[in-house]
Amino acid sequence: MKNNYDILIIGGGPAGALAAKTAAEAGNTVCLIEKRAAIGTPVRCAEGIGKELLKEFIKPDPRWIAADIERARLISPNGTTISLEQDKAGNEVGYVLDRKIFDRELVWQAAEAGADVIVKTRATAPIMENGAVRGAKVLSVGMPADIRAEVVIAADGTEAQFARRAGLDTVVPLREMMSCAQYLMTDIDIDAGSTDFYLGNEIAPEGYLWVFPKGDRTANVGIGISGRKSRDGSRAKDYLDRFVAKNFPNGKTIEAIAGGVPVCRPLACTVADGLMVAGDAARVVDPITGGGIGNAMLTGRLAAQVASECIAAGNCSKEALMPYDAGWRTSRMGTILERNYKVKEYFVTLDDAKLNTLAESIANISLKEFSVLALIKELITRNPKLLLELKALKDTLS
Amino acid sequence: MSTMLRINRDKCGYCGTCVAVCPEDALELIDVYLSLERECIACGICARACPLGALEVVHEE
């Protein structure tokens, strides 16, 4: 194992892979370490992504696309269904991926670009010198080693321990941690072209339950609930088991996974001296949808672009790396994150009666565009009093 | 009496949700198992967040 690189990347998910690929293509020496023994597994994801967002980073490939989605349905507590159809909207809906293959493809591309990839290697602490990150102390298949680098990109997902140990506050408040469980189920009656979102405080308090198809009669059936609603007997798994018993009693579960999705605001700052934070570790998950794959790839790539410039200029201080933080914050993604955070903070206050009323008000709409913003605009058009209830919602329309 | 965190590894999905909410950075998700690596203050936040009910703060005489 080499012990000195231009850029060290912690984590082999979409953020780390895009960072590694971008950094290697720019001519840097790059090392990506992954603490698990295999890239892409175990999956901790519902695997949905918007088509347009995905295409910004990689050409869609049937090898890792499990389902092509034509519509999304929102199902309110009383069963009122809002159906958003791709052929009525001005843009495309999305794909459900096979993350095991997808993540491997991304890391494969990084390796092909010249990045070193090392699995079963865990960063235990940053190497700190004069307050700056200068690499990582690692355990590689149990062997301690130091890997030094000009810049470390922390893409270590929900746990986000690397940045934390470098002095950034990455702790997620309990109420903003979505506690999630998911079954990959087969032999179930589903609409293979529809991603379904079930809302309601009995179904999924302060979150939602999803059925994302992965082919005919097969789907990710999962749920996220707020950590503050999670207790013995009413945990994510309990809600999921109740839903499955009622809706898919004869389905077969071929994979059971769990996960935590942070729906807090992004980190206050995603750079420090010699350090950048990307993807879920930076808390750039969409607070409404819980989607994080696209934002991970975006921040991973941008981090590597800025890091490359800073290394070429010989200055990897926090100040020099700041264009990364400012770059994503002022991007379309940054704007959407802030807007959807405010929308989320409003929606978690709604009881089931209110959710039903809102759903009924837009049950037969045809959206011109397929997006959270379009949906919110339609809701407000039909329910002008919403603006009185929450001024922040008004700001989201600008 | 002492309090401690008990990890039920048969229930644990080694997902790391607990790690991200721990105010003390006491938990470590190591490949396919969860480990209490540093001092735990038995606040119980991890046990609340766990999607599977694999964590429990226990009080012992």
Side-chain angles (χ1 to χ4, degrees), chain A residues 34-341:
Chain A
E34 165 58 50
K35 73 177 174 182
R36 307 274 197 179
I39 300 292
T41 181
V43 173
R44 293 186 293 182
C45 184
E47 304 183 292
I49 186 170
K51 285 184 190 177
E52 286 157 32
L53 185 56
L54 176 77
K55 287 173 187 170
E56 285 180 35
F57 302 96
I58 188 167
K59 190 169 165 281
D61 185 330
R63 284 183 303 137
W64 41 258
I65 291 174
D68 194 330
I69 300 305
E70 296 159 0
R71 75 189 66 83
R73 294 186 297 203
L74 305 176
I75 299 111
S76 81
N78 68 5
T80 304
T81 301
I82 304 160
S83 187
L84 308 170
E85 305 282 340
Q86 179 171 281
D87 55 9
K88 290 180 191 157
N91 57 345
E92 295 174 315
V93 183
Y95 294 119
V96 179
L97 305 178
D98 189 337
R99 285 285 304 273
K100 288 190 181 85
I101 314 293
F102 178 72
D103 285 28
R104 283 182 186 214
E105 174 62 26
L106 293 181
V107 170
W108 189 289
Q109 290 187 4
E112 289 230 299
D116 283 351
V117 178
I118 311 175
V119 296
K120 209 162 168 68
T121 297
R122 173 168 66 93
T124 54
I127 297 170
M128 301 292 294
E129 286 173 10
N130 302 319
V133 175
R134 306 291 295 162
K137 294 188 171 302
V138 306
L139 272 175
S140 186
V141 203
M143 289 289 288
D146 283 7
I147 303 178
R148 298 183 63 86
E150 300 297 315
V151 175
V152 176
I153 298 176
D156 48 345
T158 280
E159 293 101 299
Q161 284 170 306
F162 192 83
R164 182 176 187 168
R165 290 170 190 172
L168 277 65
D169 181 8
T170 65
V171 182
V172 179
L174 182 63
R175 78 172 190 93
E176 302 204 284
M177 173 57 84
M178 299 310 288
S179 180
C180 304
Q182 176 175 279
Y183 298 143
L184 173 54
M185 297 192 71
T186 191
D187 208 9
I188 54 177
D189 286 322
I190 53 158
D191 177 343
S194 177
T195 46
D196 292 348
F197 302 78
Y198 291 82
L199 305 174
N201 291 293
E202 301 291 320
I203 296 256
E206 297 185 19
Y208 67 85
L209 186 147
W210 61 84
V211 179
F212 287 2
K214 294 195 77 172
D216 286 339
R217 301 186 63 74
T218 299
N220 285 332
V221 183
I223 187 175
I225 67 170
S226 166
R228 73 172 159 196
K229 298 290 185 181
S230 170
R231 283 189 175 77
D232 280 341
S234 59
R235 294 183 185 276
K237 182 182 185 299
D238 301 315
Y239 283 99
L240 181 59
D241 286 339
R242 289 197 281 269
F243 180 87
V244 165
K246 187 179 166 203
N247 294 278
F248 305 124
N250 301 315
K252 286 129 193 171
T253 297
I254 58 175
E255 185 171 32
I257 60 166
V261 178
V263 292
C264 51
R265 279 205 166 93
L267 298 188
C269 185
T270 53
V271 295
D273 291 334
L275 176 69
M276 312 169 94
V277 193
D280 283 11
R283 312 311 187 200
V284 292
V285 175
D286 186 306
I288 285 283
T289 65
I293 304 168
N295 294 350
M297 292 193 286
L298 189 148
T299 50
R301 182 171 69 184
L302 183 62
Q305 287 165 345
V306 173
S308 300
E309 289 164 15
C310 293
I311 288 167
N315 180 0
C316 299
S317 66
K318 177 181 176 180
E319 193 183 3
L321 297 174
M322 268 308 280
Y324 161 66
D325 188 271
W328 70 254
R329 244 177 251 279
T330 55
S331 72
R332 182 164 174 270
M333 178 198 87
T335 308
I336 291 173
L337 283 177
E338 178 59 21
R339 185 194 72 214
N340 284 6
Y341 182 82

Side-chain angles (χ1 to χ4, degrees), chain B residues 23-42:
Chain B
E24 297 296 311
D25 193 15
L27 289 157
E28 190 90 32
L29 177 61
I30 301 169
D31 198 357
V32 291
Y33 69 92
L34 181 68
S35 176
L36 192 58
E37 293 282 292
R38 283 162 293 274
E39 194 170 348
C40 168
I41 58 170

